[in-house]
Amino acid sequence: MTQGGSDRKFKVCLVSLWLARGGAERSCAMLSQMLTSHGHDVHIVVLNDAVEYPYEGTLFNLGKLKISNDTLRKRLKRFRLLRKYIRNQKFDVIIDHRPKNHYFREVFYRRYIYKGIPRIYVVHSSNKAEYNTSKPDKFAQINNGNIATVAVSDYIKNEILVPQGVVNAVTIHNAFNPDWKNNDADLPALLRDKSYLLSYGRLDDSVKDFSFLIHAFDASQIWKQGHYLVIMGSGPDEKKLKALANSVAASHTILFVPFISEPFAVIRAARFVTLTSRYEGFPMVLVESLSIGTPVVSLDIVSGPSEMIKHRENGLLVSERSIPLFAESLREMSENDPLYNQCKQQAEASVAHFSMAEISKKWNNLLQDGLS
């Protein structure tokens, strides 16, 4: 990545729930690497003790102070420690990646935790309640007091933030690391010598809708030709999804693999990757897969997929949440070799503009302009 040269160097504090589990958290960890590459002094505050993704900078892990019988008094103590840390470090800017689902909590952060420090809030989801609180119009006023409100997709900026009155909204997409394609981790033994399509993420069916995928895979009949469905991840609906998988005719070709913090060998070996979420922001599943050269089949949900997928060029976009339509797309990507080969050949180049080198320039420019 290009170094910052004569640019000003800033002391930056990234705030996240954790550095594990999901795409938003991976993008925060990657932002620490991107800003460090431009010479900024990066600190990361995590509120829960879960750190699995590689990062750069100084980590302040407030989660280590949590105990099983957490009380309000102990939570307030952690807030005081956080405020003290932020005050003592004299940060130039705070970049906050937390979900923001409670208006009065955000008032507290603005008036106490972050008081007097320039801020940038990052919106990672198209689900308004997750990042714009239950009082979006009032919360827009908080956003407008920041340097910027960064949306990870054009949809979030143009269809959510701007209509809600956020006047400082900008789009900076999530990035991919070009080193992912060189990851030499071993493929799990269960997957070796198998042709499989892959879906991965937190096993929360209310968001990811793996149930829809299982039914569509079963209906596609491609399992009769020896293709497997691999679902990789962990989460609250694991038992439910395994029970569903065991109930369909394709049960013997549906495999579950635990969460892997660096899933790139599994992605690279897949014939293609699927996305069936009910909503996303800018789904890392798609940019990760395409950057490695693996085509994708995705529902054309709002926010994200259409900003990455060029239909029939690097993958397939399915227009509606229809089991027959999605099953047909699974069949086509499995059996239409000319289409598959074309999508595979164009996958990596199609997301070159989302590389860490390119996205880091946008973040650095935002800091240079916003803090000048």
Side-chain angles (χ1 to χ4, degrees):
M1 283 178 279
T2 304
Q3 299 299 312
S6 60
D7 287 343
R8 291 180 59 197
K9 310 305 178 189
F10 300 110
K11 192 169 187 178
V12 181
C13 179
L14 309 182
V15 180
S16 181
L17 290 184
W18 37 53
L19 294 182
R21 304 185 186 184
E25 292 75 27
R26 188 189 294 279
S27 71
C28 178
M30 292 174 66
L31 180 56
S32 74
Q33 297 172 316
M34 291 188 283
L35 294 179
T36 298
S37 77
H38 282 270
H40 303 296
D41 180 7
V42 177
H43 292 231
I44 310 169
V45 172
V46 292
L47 306 181
N48 297 282
D49 186 20
V51 179
E52 295 170 345
Y53 299 141
Y55 65 89
E56 294 286 343
T58 302
L59 180 69
F60 181 47
N61 187 343
L62 264 178
K64 285 187 176 295
L65 301 178
K66 281 189 174 182
I67 56 178
S68 57
N69 61 337
D70 209 15
T71 64
L72 177 60
R73 180 171 171 269
K74 291 170 183 175
R75 289 183 63 194
L76 291 174
K77 180 180 179 181
R78 290 198 301 275
F79 279 131
R80 287 194 294 270
L81 288 173
L82 175 56
R83 173 58 186 161
K84 181 179 179 181
Y85 182 78
I86 289 173
R87 184 172 59 247
N88 289 347
Q89 292 294 330
K90 295 180 170 50
F91 292 113
D92 294 304
V93 63
I94 292 169
I95 304 177
D96 188 331
H97 292 259
R98 295 172 306 114
K100 297 169 182 65
N101 52 17
H102 193 291
Y103 173 73
F104 293 105
R105 180 191 297 128
E106 297 314 314
V107 171
F108 174 73
Y109 265 84
R110 180 188 179 186
R111 293 181 179 175
Y112 177 67
I113 303 294
Y114 300 158
K115 184 178 180 180
I117 303 173
R119 302 169 305 276
I120 297 171
Y121 285 179
V122 185
V123 183
H124 286 282
S125 176
S126 61
N127 184 345
K128 297 178 183 180
E130 288 188 8
Y131 281 87
N132 289 279
T133 80
S134 59
K135 300 178 183 293
D137 294 336
K138 287 187 175 182
F139 188 57
Q141 298 174 22
I142 293 179
N143 280 316
N144 288 336
N146 297 343
I147 292 173
T149 303
V150 172
V152 299
S153 73
D154 288 330
Y155 178 90
I156 293 173
K157 174 193 170 186
N158 297 327
E159 303 299 328
I160 297 177
L161 295 178
V162 171
Q164 285 178 186
V166 178
V167 298
N168 59 7
V170 297
T171 300
I172 303 182
H173 295 98
N174 292 335
F176 74 86
N177 187 336
D179 291 339
W180 288 343
K181 67 180 180 180
N182 301 318
N183 185 283
D184 60 358
D186 291 335
L187 194 65
L190 179 67
L191 305 183
R192 293 172 194 164
D193 302 318
K194 286 185 173 67
S195 172
Y196 62 88
L197 53 143
L198 171 68
S199 189
Y200 65 100
R202 180 166 169 76
L203 301 188
D204 181 346
D205 209 35
S206 66
V207 178
K208 302 299 184 181
D209 206 0
F210 290 110
S211 293
F212 172 86
L213 175 61
I214 290 170
H215 286 301
F217 175 72
D218 186 55
S220 74
Q221 303 285 300
I222 60 175
W223 46 275
K224 291 183 177 180
Q225 282 74 53
H227 299 292
Y228 288 76
L229 168 62
V230 174
I231 297 175
M232 180 169 60
S234 304
D237 292 324
E238 183 172 348
K239 288 184 179 179
K240 167 192 165 183
L241 291 169
K242 286 182 175 178
L244 174 61
N246 285 333
S247 72
V248 300
S251 60
H252 61 290
T253 57
I254 302 176
L255 307 175
F256 286 81
V257 176
F259 168 79
I260 302 172
S261 62
E262 295 196 351
F264 311 115
V266 179
I267 298 169
R268 185 170 56 243
R271 182 170 176 88
F272 59 94
V273 167
T274 68
L275 180 79
T276 55
S277 300
R278 298 182 187 278
Y279 60 87
E280 289 281 352
F282 189 76
M284 290 296 290
V285 164
L286 298 182
V287 73
E288 287 168 0
S289 303
L290 292 169
S291 74
I292 292 170
T294 300
V296 295
V297 175
S298 175
L299 287 172
D300 190 12
I301 58 173
V302 297
S303 190
S306 64
E307 294 176 41
M308 283 179 273
I309 300 172
K310 298 177 181 177
H311 186 54
R312 306 188 76 82
E313 293 184 24
N314 61 355
L316 297 178
L317 272 175
V318 183
S319 59
E320 61 181 274
R321 191 175 297 274
S322 159
I323 288 174
L325 283 179
F326 204 80
E328 176 56 33
S329 294
L330 298 181
R331 278 195 297 274
E332 185 165 23
M333 191 61 85
S334 297
E335 299 171 356
N336 185 338
D337 286 337
L339 171 68
Y340 174 77
N341 290 331
Q342 173 178 291
C343 290
K344 188 170 182 64
Q345 288 168 7
Q346 298 188 87
E348 187 176 339
S350 71
V351 293
H353 54 299
F354 300 131
S355 70
M356 289 178 76
E358 293 301 316
I359 298 302
S360 71
K361 293 176 187 175
K362 295 184 178 182
W363 273 105
N364 186 57
N365 289 340
L366 179 63
L367 294 185
Q368 300 300 327
D369 295 341
L371 295 172
S372 59

